[in-house]
Amino acid sequence: MPPHWLPAALNQGWIYRDRVRPADLAAAPGDGPLLVSAFYAARYRHSDASVWRERLAAGEIRRNGQELRADGALAAGEELAWHRPPWREAAVPASWPLLFDDGDLHVIDKPSGLPVLPAGGYLEHTLLRLLERRHGDDPAGIPRPVHRLGRFTSGLLVCARRPATRAWLSARLRESTAADPDGAGPAEAQRCRKIYRALVVPGVLALAAGESLPLDTPIGRRAHPQLGQIWCAADGSEPGDRPARSSLTLLERGVRADLVQVAIASGRPHQIRIHCAAVGAPLLGDPLYGPGGLARAAALPGDGGYWLQAWRLELEHPGGGRLDLEVPEALGL
């Protein structure tokens, strides 16, 4: 194992709480009632109904606070709780460079492979938990993430100790429809500019070094055999499809990969991975999004292998002025 990694270990388990909705009953297969096993198989698609019946028999599931040992029909409004036993979390990197700290703002260079928040099978092996352990006795408070980066995305991550600062920064990190990803437009709209670097499949982009390409493929949720639905390239035809805007600049061509820079003016899920794939140049090693920007059926969002770095951040400082930060070691060929 590399140095400064948190080794694989069992966590303490977790309780997943759900409430049965009328829509769940309406979606029940056939004309019969909605069974507990069918509810969970539809809600958590990583396990089929037979596995959920085994969990029922093991006493892992409670309905309205009462332990269940067998399958049964559900009614709208009932509360379910799956007491998931402890599971083994994979090893993750547990150290990072600190790039800025003024006693409130706390900006780090997040390593690839470290989840920011609990999700996708990670509960304790996350940046949030590591920050809580390290700064639990800090009189100034615990720096907590203001935004997310994908587990395998490295680079600038902004944290803050004060809740008011996190709320203030979060508002400025949200999409600004007046902003231009290239940095043009009204000064008021340029409160935040996020620039990433990525390695993409080589030889696809019809650009010369230094040339840019606007990317505006909408992003929406579409059917996925393992997850029910997943974010991917969309055509804007569904009510939930969201506009998304990026600007891609080719920096350098290489034999193994092309190096690009991407500025984003919106913060959609997996936006850079989807936008690059949508124009036929997926991120090098991306197991999920292929040419066209649709999700591969056999892959999951938590799968890694791609190269993406949050390289530069230009942001208003809560105390006034601007904060311009770059990762010291920029992603390159």
Side-chain angles (χ1 to χ4, degrees), residues 263-299:
I264 62 173
S266 54
R268 307 308 183 199
H270 311 304
Q271 177 170 321
I272 294 175
R273 297 169 67 187
I274 293 171
H275 269 179
C276 289
V279 294
L283 268 60
L284 184 70
D286 192 336
L288 182 59
Y289 296 107
L294 298 180
R296 294 186 175 96

mmCIF file of all heavy atoms in Angstrom, residues 263-299:
data_model
loop_
_atom_site.group_PDB
_atom_site.id
_atom_site.type_symbol
_atom_site.label_atom_id
_atom_site.label_comp_id
_atom_site.label_asym_id
_atom_site.label_seq_id
_atom_site.Cartn_x
_atom_site.Cartn_y
_atom_site.Cartn_z
ATOM 1 N N ALA A 263 -13.492 24.881 -18.904
ATOM 2 C CA ALA A 263 -14.119 25.813 -17.967
ATOM 3 C C ALA A 263 -15.615 25.542 -17.976
ATOM 4 O O ALA A 263 -16.219 25.349 -19.037
ATOM 5 C CB ALA A 263 -13.844 27.252 -18.386
ATOM 6 N N ILE A 264 -16.206 25.493 -16.792
ATOM 7 C CA ILE A 264 -17.629 25.170 -16.712
ATOM 8 C C ILE A 264 -18.408 26.354 -16.163
ATOM 9 O O ILE A 264 -17.965 27.067 -15.276
ATOM 10 C CB ILE A 264 -17.885 23.911 -15.856
ATOM 11 C CG1 ILE A 264 -17.416 24.116 -14.412
ATOM 12 C CG2 ILE A 264 -17.175 22.705 -16.465
ATOM 13 C CD1 ILE A 264 -17.802 22.974 -13.497
ATOM 14 N N ALA A 265 -19.578 26.571 -16.755
ATOM 15 C CA ALA A 265 -20.471 27.642 -16.304
ATOM 16 C C ALA A 265 -21.703 27.072 -15.633
ATOM 17 O O ALA A 265 -22.628 27.809 -15.289
ATOM 18 C CB ALA A 265 -20.889 28.517 -17.492
ATOM 19 N N SER A 266 -21.753 25.757 -15.462
ATOM 20 C CA SER A 266 -22.842 25.108 -14.741
ATOM 21 C C SER A 266 -22.240 23.916 -14.020
ATOM 22 O O SER A 266 -21.149 23.467 -14.360
ATOM 23 C CB SER A 266 -23.963 24.669 -15.701
ATOM 24 O OG SER A 266 -23.454 23.859 -16.741
ATOM 25 N N GLY A 267 -22.943 23.419 -13.038
ATOM 26 C CA GLY A 267 -22.397 22.342 -12.226
ATOM 27 C C GLY A 267 -23.248 21.103 -12.262
ATOM 28 O O GLY A 267 -23.752 20.655 -11.232
ATOM 29 N N ARG A 268 -23.426 20.517 -13.435
ATOM 30 C CA ARG A 268 -24.231 19.303 -13.559
ATOM 31 C C ARG A 268 -23.420 18.069 -13.158
ATOM 32 O O ARG A 268 -22.194 18.064 -13.256
ATOM 33 C CB ARG A 268 -24.729 19.145 -14.999
ATOM 34 C CG ARG A 268 -25.457 20.354 -15.552
ATOM 35 C CD ARG A 268 -26.564 20.833 -14.657
ATOM 36 N NE ARG A 268 -27.301 21.954 -15.233
ATOM 37 C CZ ARG A 268 -28.063 22.787 -14.563
ATOM 38 N NH1 ARG A 268 -28.188 22.625 -13.238
ATOM 39 N NH2 ARG A 268 -28.703 23.764 -15.146
ATOM 40 N N PRO A 269 -24.102 17.001 -12.742
ATOM 41 C CA PRO A 269 -23.376 15.782 -12.376
ATOM 42 C C PRO A 269 -22.559 15.246 -13.551
ATOM 43 O O PRO A 269 -23.056 15.143 -14.672
ATOM 44 C CB PRO A 269 -24.505 14.806 -11.992
ATOM 45 C CG PRO A 269 -25.657 15.682 -11.610
ATOM 46 C CD PRO A 269 -25.550 16.881 -12.499
ATOM 47 N N HIS A 270 -21.297 14.936 -13.285
ATOM 48 C CA HIS A 270 -20.393 14.352 -14.287
ATOM 49 C C HIS A 270 -20.304 15.205 -15.558
ATOM 50 O O HIS A 270 -20.097 14.678 -16.651
ATOM 51 C CB HIS A 270 -20.840 12.926 -14.654
ATOM 52 C CG HIS A 270 -21.106 12.037 -13.490
ATOM 53 N ND1 HIS A 270 -20.164 11.784 -12.503
ATOM 54 C CD2 HIS A 270 -22.219 11.347 -13.130
ATOM 55 C CE1 HIS A 270 -20.682 10.962 -11.603
ATOM 56 N NE2 HIS A 270 -21.917 10.703 -11.943
ATOM 57 N N GLN A 271 -20.445 16.518 -15.415
ATOM 58 C CA GLN A 271 -20.588 17.384 -16.591
ATOM 59 C C GLN A 271 -19.401 17.279 -17.552
ATOM 60 O O GLN A 271 -19.601 17.132 -18.768
ATOM 61 C CB GLN A 271 -20.766 18.842 -16.162
ATOM 62 C CG GLN A 271 -20.856 19.819 -17.339
ATOM 63 C CD GLN A 271 -21.268 21.211 -16.913
ATOM 64 O OE1 GLN A 271 -22.109 21.365 -16.043
ATOM 65 N NE2 GLN A 271 -20.673 22.227 -17.527
ATOM 66 N N ILE A 272 -18.185 17.363 -17.047
ATOM 67 C CA ILE A 272 -17.033 17.344 -17.945
ATOM 68 C C ILE A 272 -16.895 15.992 -18.622
ATOM 69 O O ILE A 272 -16.646 15.903 -19.835
ATOM 70 C CB ILE A 272 -15.761 17.719 -17.173
ATOM 71 C CG1 ILE A 272 -15.849 19.184 -16.717
ATOM 72 C CG2 ILE A 272 -14.524 17.510 -18.028
ATOM 73 C CD1 ILE A 272 -14.706 19.626 -15.835
ATOM 74 N N ARG A 273 -17.087 14.920 -17.880
ATOM 75 C CA ARG A 273 -16.995 13.589 -18.470
ATOM 76 C C ARG A 273 -18.044 13.413 -19.567
ATOM 77 O O ARG A 273 -17.753 12.872 -20.643
ATOM 78 C CB ARG A 273 -17.177 12.523 -17.382
ATOM 79 C CG ARG A 273 -16.088 12.564 -16.311
ATOM 80 C CD ARG A 273 -16.453 11.682 -15.122
ATOM 81 N NE ARG A 273 -16.472 10.257 -15.476
ATOM 82 C CZ ARG A 273 -16.882 9.308 -14.646
ATOM 83 N NH1 ARG A 273 -17.318 9.625 -13.429
ATOM 84 N NH2 ARG A 273 -16.862 8.043 -15.009
ATOM 85 N N ILE A 274 -19.252 13.888 -19.308
ATOM 86 C CA ILE A 274 -20.333 13.738 -20.289
ATOM 87 C C ILE A 274 -20.094 14.634 -21.492
ATOM 88 O O ILE A 274 -20.246 14.207 -22.647
ATOM 89 C CB ILE A 274 -21.690 14.040 -19.631
ATOM 90 C CG1 ILE A 274 -22.024 12.968 -18.581
ATOM 91 C CG2 ILE A 274 -22.791 14.125 -20.682
ATOM 92 C CD1 ILE A 274 -23.240 13.293 -17.731
ATOM 93 N N HIS A 275 -19.708 15.896 -21.270
ATOM 94 C CA HIS A 275 -19.522 16.819 -22.384
ATOM 95 C C HIS A 275 -18.382 16.384 -23.296
ATOM 96 O O HIS A 275 -18.495 16.463 -24.529
ATOM 97 C CB HIS A 275 -19.285 18.232 -21.856
ATOM 98 C CG HIS A 275 -20.536 19.014 -21.699
ATOM 99 N ND1 HIS A 275 -20.580 20.297 -21.221
ATOM 100 C CD2 HIS A 275 -21.830 18.690 -21.979
ATOM 101 C CE1 HIS A 275 -21.822 20.743 -21.213
ATOM 102 N NE2 HIS A 275 -22.598 19.773 -21.652
ATOM 103 N N CYS A 276 -17.270 15.940 -22.716
ATOM 104 C CA CYS A 276 -16.171 15.477 -23.560
ATOM 105 C C CYS A 276 -16.585 14.238 -24.358
ATOM 106 O O CYS A 276 -16.293 14.124 -25.558
ATOM 107 C CB CYS A 276 -14.944 15.179 -22.707
ATOM 108 S SG CYS A 276 -14.127 16.647 -22.030
ATOM 109 N N ALA A 277 -17.268 13.307 -23.711
ATOM 110 C CA ALA A 277 -17.724 12.108 -24.416
ATOM 111 C C ALA A 277 -18.743 12.448 -25.493
ATOM 112 O O ALA A 277 -18.772 11.822 -26.557
ATOM 113 C CB ALA A 277 -18.308 11.117 -23.416
ATOM 114 N N ALA A 278 -19.591 13.458 -25.234
ATOM 115 C CA ALA A 278 -20.638 13.814 -26.184
ATOM 116 C C ALA A 278 -20.072 14.302 -27.515
ATOM 117 O O ALA A 278 -20.703 14.144 -28.561
ATOM 118 C CB ALA A 278 -21.562 14.873 -25.585
ATOM 119 N N VAL A 279 -18.872 14.906 -27.502
ATOM 120 C CA VAL A 279 -18.255 15.363 -28.753
ATOM 121 C C VAL A 279 -17.270 14.329 -29.287
ATOM 122 O O VAL A 279 -16.476 14.631 -30.188
ATOM 123 C CB VAL A 279 -17.567 16.731 -28.573
ATOM 124 C CG1 VAL A 279 -18.598 17.801 -28.276
ATOM 125 C CG2 VAL A 279 -16.498 16.702 -27.488
ATOM 126 N N GLY A 280 -17.325 13.109 -28.741
ATOM 127 C CA GLY A 280 -16.523 12.020 -29.269
ATOM 128 C C GLY A 280 -15.147 11.864 -28.673
ATOM 129 O O GLY A 280 -14.356 11.044 -29.154
ATOM 130 N N ALA A 281 -14.816 12.645 -27.628
ATOM 131 C CA ALA A 281 -13.492 12.573 -26.998
ATOM 132 C C ALA A 281 -13.643 12.277 -25.518
ATOM 133 O O ALA A 281 -13.410 13.151 -24.671
ATOM 134 C CB ALA A 281 -12.734 13.876 -27.219
ATOM 135 N N PRO A 282 -14.025 11.048 -25.141
ATOM 136 C CA PRO A 282 -14.177 10.715 -23.715
ATOM 137 C C PRO A 282 -12.870 10.890 -22.961
ATOM 138 O O PRO A 282 -11.782 10.850 -23.549
ATOM 139 C CB PRO A 282 -14.599 9.242 -23.745
ATOM 140 C CG PRO A 282 -15.010 8.952 -25.145
ATOM 141 C CD PRO A 282 -14.258 9.894 -26.018
ATOM 142 N N LEU A 283 -12.977 11.088 -21.648
ATOM 143 C CA LEU A 283 -11.778 11.134 -20.833
ATOM 144 C C LEU A 283 -11.029 9.812 -20.962
ATOM 145 O O LEU A 283 -11.636 8.736 -20.991
ATOM 146 C CB LEU A 283 -12.131 11.392 -19.373
ATOM 147 C CG LEU A 283 -12.152 12.860 -18.926
ATOM 148 C CD1 LEU A 283 -13.165 13.674 -19.714
ATOM 149 C CD2 LEU A 283 -12.419 12.961 -17.446
ATOM 150 N N LEU A 284 -9.726 9.900 -21.059
ATOM 151 C CA LEU A 284 -8.899 8.710 -21.185
ATOM 152 C C LEU A 284 -9.155 7.782 -20.000
ATOM 153 O O LEU A 284 -9.062 8.192 -18.845
ATOM 154 C CB LEU A 284 -7.421 9.109 -21.226
ATOM 155 C CG LEU A 284 -6.430 7.974 -21.460
ATOM 156 C CD1 LEU A 284 -6.544 7.468 -22.892
ATOM 157 C CD2 LEU A 284 -5.008 8.437 -21.168
ATOM 158 N N GLY A 285 -9.510 6.538 -20.284
ATOM 159 C CA GLY A 285 -9.736 5.551 -19.237
ATOM 160 C C GLY A 285 -11.088 5.626 -18.564
ATOM 161 O O GLY A 285 -11.320 4.907 -17.584
ATOM 162 N N ASP A 286 -12.006 6.468 -19.058
ATOM 163 C CA ASP A 286 -13.319 6.571 -18.422
ATOM 164 C C ASP A 286 -14.115 5.298 -18.697
ATOM 165 O O ASP A 286 -14.439 5.001 -19.850
ATOM 166 C CB ASP A 286 -14.074 7.789 -18.962
ATOM 167 C CG ASP A 286 -15.308 8.125 -18.137
ATOM 168 O OD1 ASP A 286 -15.844 7.223 -17.462
ATOM 169 O OD2 ASP A 286 -15.750 9.281 -18.171
ATOM 170 N N PRO A 287 -14.461 4.533 -17.651
ATOM 171 C CA PRO A 287 -15.192 3.283 -17.869
ATOM 172 C C PRO A 287 -16.689 3.485 -18.069
ATOM 173 O O PRO A 287 -17.376 2.562 -18.500
ATOM 174 C CB PRO A 287 -14.929 2.501 -16.589
ATOM 175 C CG PRO A 287 -14.786 3.568 -15.549
ATOM 176 C CD PRO A 287 -14.141 4.749 -16.230
ATOM 177 N N LEU A 288 -17.195 4.687 -17.754
ATOM 178 C CA LEU A 288 -18.643 4.891 -17.743
ATOM 179 C C LEU A 288 -19.174 5.544 -19.006
ATOM 180 O O LEU A 288 -20.152 5.075 -19.591
ATOM 181 C CB LEU A 288 -19.035 5.726 -16.520
ATOM 182 C CG LEU A 288 -20.527 5.990 -16.320
ATOM 183 C CD1 LEU A 288 -21.302 4.672 -16.198
ATOM 184 C CD2 LEU A 288 -20.749 6.849 -15.080
ATOM 185 N N TYR A 289 -18.552 6.641 -19.439
ATOM 186 C CA TYR A 289 -19.094 7.415 -20.564
ATOM 187 C C TYR A 289 -18.255 7.200 -21.818
ATOM 188 O O TYR A 289 -17.068 7.522 -21.856
ATOM 189 C CB TYR A 289 -19.142 8.899 -20.216
ATOM 190 C CG TYR A 289 -20.094 9.198 -19.080
ATOM 191 C CD1 TYR A 289 -19.615 9.539 -17.819
ATOM 192 C CD2 TYR A 289 -21.475 9.123 -19.262
ATOM 193 C CE1 TYR A 289 -20.484 9.800 -16.766
ATOM 194 C CE2 TYR A 289 -22.348 9.374 -18.216
ATOM 195 C CZ TYR A 289 -21.846 9.714 -16.970
ATOM 196 O OH TYR A 289 -22.712 9.964 -15.937
ATOM 197 N N GLY A 290 -18.906 6.660 -22.859
ATOM 198 C CA GLY A 290 -18.256 6.456 -24.140
ATOM 199 C C GLY A 290 -18.648 7.532 -25.129
ATOM 200 O O GLY A 290 -19.413 8.457 -24.800
ATOM 201 N N PRO A 291 -18.128 7.464 -26.354
ATOM 202 C CA PRO A 291 -18.464 8.457 -27.377
ATOM 203 C C PRO A 291 -19.976 8.636 -27.504
ATOM 204 O O PRO A 291 -20.723 7.662 -27.577
ATOM 205 C CB PRO A 291 -17.851 7.859 -28.648
ATOM 206 C CG PRO A 291 -16.707 7.034 -28.152
ATOM 207 C CD PRO A 291 -17.182 6.446 -26.857
ATOM 208 N N GLY A 292 -20.416 9.885 -27.497
ATOM 209 C CA GLY A 292 -21.841 10.197 -27.513
ATOM 210 C C GLY A 292 -22.362 10.634 -26.159
ATOM 211 O O GLY A 292 -23.405 11.266 -26.062
ATOM 212 N N GLY A 293 -21.653 10.268 -25.088
ATOM 213 C CA GLY A 293 -22.034 10.737 -23.758
ATOM 214 C C GLY A 293 -23.055 9.897 -23.036
ATOM 215 O O GLY A 293 -23.556 10.297 -21.982
ATOM 216 N N LEU A 294 -23.375 8.709 -23.570
ATOM 217 C CA LEU A 294 -24.293 7.816 -22.866
ATOM 218 C C LEU A 294 -23.510 6.905 -21.931
ATOM 219 O O LEU A 294 -22.310 6.668 -22.116
ATOM 220 C CB LEU A 294 -25.102 6.990 -23.863
ATOM 221 C CG LEU A 294 -26.012 7.796 -24.806
ATOM 222 C CD1 LEU A 294 -26.749 6.857 -25.751
ATOM 223 C CD2 LEU A 294 -26.979 8.661 -24.027
ATOM 224 N N ALA A 295 -24.193 6.375 -20.915
ATOM 225 C CA ALA A 295 -23.536 5.537 -19.923
ATOM 226 C C ALA A 295 -23.505 4.085 -20.373
ATOM 227 O O ALA A 295 -24.501 3.546 -20.849
ATOM 228 C CB ALA A 295 -24.268 5.649 -18.578
ATOM 229 N N ARG A 296 -22.349 3.466 -20.218
ATOM 230 C CA ARG A 296 -22.227 2.044 -20.548
ATOM 231 C C ARG A 296 -22.985 1.218 -19.517
ATOM 232 O O ARG A 296 -22.938 1.493 -18.317
ATOM 233 C CB ARG A 296 -20.756 1.640 -20.571
ATOM 234 C CG ARG A 296 -19.947 2.308 -21.682
ATOM 235 C CD ARG A 296 -18.528 1.742 -21.721
ATOM 236 N NE ARG A 296 -17.762 2.257 -22.841
ATOM 237 C CZ ARG A 296 -16.917 3.289 -22.769
ATOM 238 N NH1 ARG A 296 -16.757 3.917 -21.601
ATOM 239 N NH2 ARG A 296 -16.254 3.700 -23.826
ATOM 240 N N ALA A 297 -23.646 0.165 -19.988
ATOM 241 C CA ALA A 297 -24.525 -0.624 -19.124
ATOM 242 C C ALA A 297 -23.766 -1.350 -18.023
ATOM 243 O O ALA A 297 -24.286 -1.527 -16.920
ATOM 244 C CB ALA A 297 -25.304 -1.635 -19.971
ATOM 245 N N ALA A 298 -22.535 -1.754 -18.277
ATOM 246 C CA ALA A 298 -21.810 -2.575 -17.310
ATOM 247 C C ALA A 298 -21.018 -1.761 -16.296
ATOM 248 O O ALA A 298 -20.433 -2.322 -15.374
ATOM 249 C CB ALA A 298 -20.867 -3.520 -18.046
ATOM 250 N N ALA A 299 -20.974 -0.430 -16.459
ATOM 251 C CA ALA A 299 -20.149 0.407 -15.590
ATOM 252 C C ALA A 299 -21.005 1.170 -14.593
ATOM 253 O O ALA A 299 -22.221 1.330 -14.774
ATOM 254 C CB ALA A 299 -19.330 1.386 -16.429
#
